[in-house]
């Protein structure tokens, strides 16, 4: 009993038969041209994006100074209090 239903286009080892190759032949060139066009479009969009980002100039953006103290973390004091209470016992 086959798990995958058999098709007349595939043999018992699920390889293409001559009938499938003949049926696909009229679409081969058209599919290659379509695939090439889609691939070319994707590469051109990627190249345009990389070139556009490379032209950005961030020299006019001011970088803020580093903070003098790290921001307060609410759990830091609790950990110290717990560890000092545990040491005291």
């Amino acid at each position: 009993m086959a798990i995958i239903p058999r098709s007349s286009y595939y043999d018992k080892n699920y390889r293409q038969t001559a009938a499938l190759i003949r049926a696909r032949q009229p679409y081969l060139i058209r599919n290659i041209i379509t695939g090439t066009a889609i691939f070319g479009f994707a590469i051109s969009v990627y190249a345009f994006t990389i070139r556009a980002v490379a032209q950005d100039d961030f020299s006019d953006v001011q970088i803020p100074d580093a903070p003098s103290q790290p921001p307060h973390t609410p759990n830091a004091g609790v950990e110290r209090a717990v560890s000092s209470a545990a040491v005291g016992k």
Side-chain angles (χ1 to χ4, degrees):
M1 181 170 178
I3 296 174
I4 301 173
R6 297 224 186 252
S7 171
S8 62
Y9 287 119
Y10 296 96
D11 64 4
K12 65 179 181 174
N13 296 322
Y14 296 105
R15 290 182 292 197
Q16 294 179 0
T17 60
L20 179 60
I21 294 171
R22 281 193 311 272
R24 291 177 58 183
Q25 192 172 9
Y27 304 103
L28 183 64
I29 300 299
R30 200 176 327 166
N31 287 345
I32 290 173
I33 291 170
T34 303
T36 304
I38 291 171
F39 180 74
F41 177 74
I43 293 299
S44 65
V45 168
Y46 175 77
F48 173 78
T49 303
I50 295 299
R51 181 170 283 181
V53 170
Q55 293 176 0
D56 284 346
D57 182 22
F58 296 107
S59 63
D60 59 337
V61 177
Q62 294 181 358
I63 300 173
D65 295 332
S68 58
Q69 292 180 343
H72 175 68
T73 55
N75 295 336
V78 175
E79 291 174 9
R80 286 189 202 129
V82 170
S83 62
S84 64
V87 172
K89 285 189 173 184

